Amino acid sequence: MFKYDVAIVGGGLAGLTAANFLVKEGKKVVVLEKSNRLGGRAMTNDKNGILMNLGTHGLYLSGETMTILTELGLSIPGGNASKSVQIHGILNKSVQVIPTDFSSIMSSSLLSWKSKFVFGKLMLNLMKLNVDSIPEVSLTEWADAEISDPMVRHIFYSICRLTTYTNAPTLQLAKPVLKQVQRSLKGGVLYVDGGWGTIVEKLRQQAIAAGVEIFPSKNVVKIEHYGDYQSILCSDGTVFNVTDCIVAAPPKEAVKMIKDAEHTSLGLWNKQAIPITASCIDLGLKKLPTSRHQFAIGLDQSLFFVYGTLEM
Ligand SMILES: Cc1cc2nc3c(=O)[nH]c(=O)nc-3n(C[C@H](O)[C@H](O)[C@H](O)COP(=O)(O)OP(=O)(O)OC[C@H]3O[C@@H](n4cnc5c(N)ncnc54)[C@H](O)[C@@H]3O)c2cc1C
């Protein structure tokens, strides 16, 4: 007999999405977010009129996020970057077009005639590959067995780094990486008008309209389980007693708030999770020095330059 059935800890994409689904099922839901803003890693910051995504940039049109947003009835405005932008590769300080379709494969100066054929075949195979049938091997093991041409391998790895934001081919399993590569090849990537803040705001508005209560600046410090209810304590002393609780915060945070969590699968997940370290510099430019170079990735190193414009 509590005011809320479910408390969701964390007002990022996962928390707000869960809130929307639960309220549709008739649950009374409260979202508790530690920051004074919603969105987590999907926030967009407005720097003098230039919108900068804190984390998330591309929405994979054939990915699960898009499926979920569509299921919630949200339409997301934006432009399909894959259709309008040429991808460039940086190799030995020179910038060259990365082939992505038949004509760019033919005109590419990165690849010899033999490599063009090998690359074209690899792209076709990746499109129709049954990813679920791939055994539990690392990306390196898969690439070693499937790709012998050194330049084709360079391009393949750079596409894998780009689509997963990760540079750990010996640790990553081939299956999820290839699934992500397939998503980008098949559906393309949408760059959201107004940044990912647009999606966060749409999720927030829909949740509130359906009756979800959202509290920013609520730092959850302890979650205790008492038989048929959970007691959630915030750093300001507020307590929420609810039937169920969903923690939509990263494992490092989650393990701290849940009593004895270090002995559970969450504790194990927290121990095994390897944080990704990346340096990101956002620059607001009035125009690009070379307007053709809107999108460039390192072929022999882990670099990713992307340019977004309101007109795109
Ligand atoms: C640089 C970068 C680029 C990315 N690019 C892409 C991309 O192009 N495409 C894509 O699909 N994904 C991308 N991602 C991944 C995407 O940003 C994340 O998967 C997604 O935003 C995670 O959402 P979440 O809700 O699970 O977690 P988070 O966004 O981390 O949300 C967790 C929330 O919990 C809150 N919280 C934590 N502790 C507490 C507490 N004690 N009490 C209350 N609240 C708490 C946090 O403040 C936060 O708001 C990128 C990520 C990064 C970092």
Side-chain angles (χ1 to χ4, degrees):
M1 302 312 102
F2 301 120
K3 188 170 175 202
Y4 308 104
D5 299 313
V6 188
I8 297 173
V9 180
L13 287 178
L16 293 173
T17 302
N20 273 287
F21 276 107
L22 286 166
V23 77
K24 269 170 83 154
E25 295 301 315
K27 301 288 180 195
K28 287 175 280 172
V29 183
V30 61
V31 176
L32 308 170
E33 166 54 50
K34 131 173 120 171
S35 162
N36 61 2
R37 284 173 64 195
L38 295 175
R41 281 171 279 168
M43 266 182 206
T44 302
N45 294 318
D46 185 338
K47 303 270 181 197
N48 300 323
I50 298 172
L51 301 173
M52 292 177 170
N53 290 311
L54 184 70
T56 335
H57 281 66
L59 175 58
Y60 285 80
L61 286 161
S62 62
E64 278 84 354
T65 310
M66 194 64 194
T67 310
I68 288 169
L69 294 172
T70 309
E71 199 179 326
L72 285 174
L74 298 177
S75 68
I76 309 299
N80 188 338
S82 328
K83 287 204 177 126
S84 52
V85 177
Q86 261 186 339
I87 304 182
H88 289 80
I90 306 161
L91 183 69
N92 300 328
K93 295 192 184 158
S94 79
V95 182
Q96 310 205 31
V97 174
I98 289 192
T100 45
D101 55 18
F102 181 74
S103 69
S104 55
I105 291 176
M106 285 313 181
S107 60
S108 169
S109 51
L110 270 175
L111 300 166
S112 66
W113 280 104
K114 186 171 162 252
S115 305
K116 284 178 203 265
F117 176 74
V118 174
F119 185 71
K121 205 168 144 213
L122 174 70
M123 288 292 118
L124 283 176
N125 285 346
L126 285 175
M127 292 278 263
K128 55 181 193 225
L129 186 72
N130 176 8
V131 176
D132 293 326
S133 69
I134 298 174
E136 297 248 313
V137 293
S138 72
L139 187 62
T140 306
E141 285 170 290
W142 188 88
D144 282 351
E146 299 290 329
I147 313 166
S148 55
D149 186 298
M151 183 50 77
V152 173
R153 211 186 279 183
H154 266 320
I155 300 178
F156 170 76
Y157 276 131
S158 65
I159 294 172
C160 293
R161 287 196 294 271
L162 168 69
T163 51
T164 63
Y165 267 84
T166 309
N167 181 21
T170 54
L171 289 174
Q172 287 174 294
L173 284 177
K175 199 192 284 194
V177 178
L178 293 170
K179 199 163 202 171
Q180 187 73 343
V181 170
Q182 226 174 35
R183 281 186 192 121
S184 71
L185 292 174
K186 281 186 178 165
V189 174
L190 190 85
Y191 273 64
V192 184
D193 289 345
W196 276 67
T198 302
I199 300 181
V200 173
E201 184 54 20
K202 280 182 180 254
L203 285 168
R204 186 191 72 87
Q205 280 178 10
Q206 182 152 311
I208 285 180
V212 174
E213 287 196 48
I214 301 179
F215 293 107
S217 306
K218 285 282 176 207
N219 179 20
V220 173
V221 287
K222 198 170 5 143
I223 302 173
E224 282 188 291
H225 177 66
Y226 291 105
D228 56 356
Y229 79 100
Q230 328 289 324
S231 182
I232 299 167
L233 173 68
C234 301
S235 58
D236 61 5
T238 329
V239 175
F240 292 84
N241 290 327
V242 289
T243 317
D244 293 296
C245 173
I246 292 179
V247 180
K252 190 163 62 77
E253 308 280 340
V255 89
K256 277 192 274 177
M257 25 177 134
I258 302 169
K259 202 169 164 245
D260 296 329
E262 55 282 10
H263 309 299
T264 66
S265 51
L266 171 62
L268 187 66
W269 177 27
N270 178 47
K271 255 194 218 138
Q272 290 179 342
I274 303 170
I276 295 173
T277 311
S279 309
C280 303
I281 303 177
D282 283 325
L283 289 178
L285 301 177
K286 286 197 178 131
K287 67 174 193 166
L288 283 178
T290 310
S291 58
R292 284 182 304 118
H293 296 168
Q294 298 188 348
F295 196 96
I297 52 181
L299 287 175
D300 54 355
Q301 46 184 324
S302 179
L303 283 176
F304 172 31
F305 296 100
V306 64
Y307 161 69
T309 151
L310 294 178
E311 291 84 45
M312 254 170 64

